[in-house]
Amino acid sequence: MQSSHPDPGFTVRLADPDAGRAAAGSAPGQALKGKSFRQRRRNRHGRGLRGELMLPTLPGYRTRSDIFDDLVLDSAQRLQDIWGKTLDGVRFAVEEIPPGLETLVADRTPAPMGAHTPAMPEEGPVITLYRRVVEQVCGSREELQDLVHDVVVEHTAEMLGVPPETLDPVYRRRY
């Protein structure tokens, strides 16, 4: 899994140069007749497309999903640094909710925070974390970071067949 974050640099969006010439060379309202309501509303007063609502440097720019993905990547990278080639080919994935959540709720079974899918002939093993389930248990960002790491360690240990304490020295069961 790779993190794909937009460049935090400043971006500029240029208006369509032909739109200004068409509006200037025709009678008022003539240039707007052939356009749909959405196009007229979006390019109001010939100012071009509107810019970003929030700058990339502000904390609200990144979504909770982006932050969660980064926590999973950080945890996976930590394990990769410790174990090296043992974890080559392992993919880490994030899904919103576990499959079959309705039946789990109906049976009053707690929802899993993650899952381990063994390797297939054409693909390596996959460790999946369920974002909504993990976030619901946590009250703060620090708790979320710790719990994400614990879930990644537990499912990686299950995949390798070792106790989680031997996989990562800072692991301790928090939930």
Side-chain angles (χ1 to χ4, degrees):
M1 183 169 116
Q2 294 181 358
S3 177
S4 60
H5 293 95
D7 183 24
F10 181 74
T11 60
V12 176
R13 293 186 184 182
L14 299 176
D16 184 16
D18 296 329
R21 281 187 227 130
S26 61
Q30 191 89 17
L32 299 178
K33 279 189 178 179
K35 294 185 177 184
S36 71
F37 174 76
R38 184 172 177 87
Q39 289 171 329
R40 287 191 313 250
R41 187 80 179 139
R42 181 117 174 126
N43 190 9
R44 212 169 154 193
H45 302 292
R47 293 186 188 131
L49 296 174
R50 297 188 180 171
E52 300 285 332
L53 292 178
M54 186 168 295
L55 295 174
T57 56
L58 298 175
Y61 183 77
R62 302 196 53 233
T63 64
R64 287 185 296 175
S65 180
D66 292 338
I67 293 169
F68 191 88
D69 290 348
D70 284 346
L71 293 175
V72 172
L73 284 174
D74 291 343
S75 186
Q77 185 62 46
R78 175 176 166 75
L79 291 179
Q80 181 70 33
D81 292 344
I82 294 171
W83 284 84
K85 290 198 178 263
T86 307
L87 296 179
D88 283 349
V90 177
R91 293 185 308 148
F92 294 87
V94 175
E95 290 185 17
E96 290 294 310
I97 58 172
L101 183 62
E102 295 83 14
T103 57
L104 293 173
V105 170
D107 296 340
R108 296 182 186 217
T109 307
M113 294 188 191
H116 158 250
T117 306
M120 300 290 185
E122 62 274 354
E123 292 182 358
V126 179
I127 296 173
T128 306
L129 273 75
Y130 302 116
R131 182 176 74 86
R132 296 287 181 133
V133 177
V134 174
E135 283 180 339
Q136 204 165 29
V137 174
C138 299
S140 69
R141 165 92 190 234
E142 291 78 25
E143 287 179 26
L144 180 64
Q145 185 175 8
D146 291 341
L147 185 58
V148 165
H149 184 68
D150 287 349
V151 172
V152 168
V153 168
E154 285 180 4
H155 288 287
T156 306
E158 177 186 333
M159 178 191 68
L160 296 175
V162 299
E165 296 82 18
T166 61
L167 192 64
D168 189 6
V170 298
Y171 167 81
R172 49 188 176 129
R173 184 179 282 275
R174 291 180 176 85
Y175 59 94

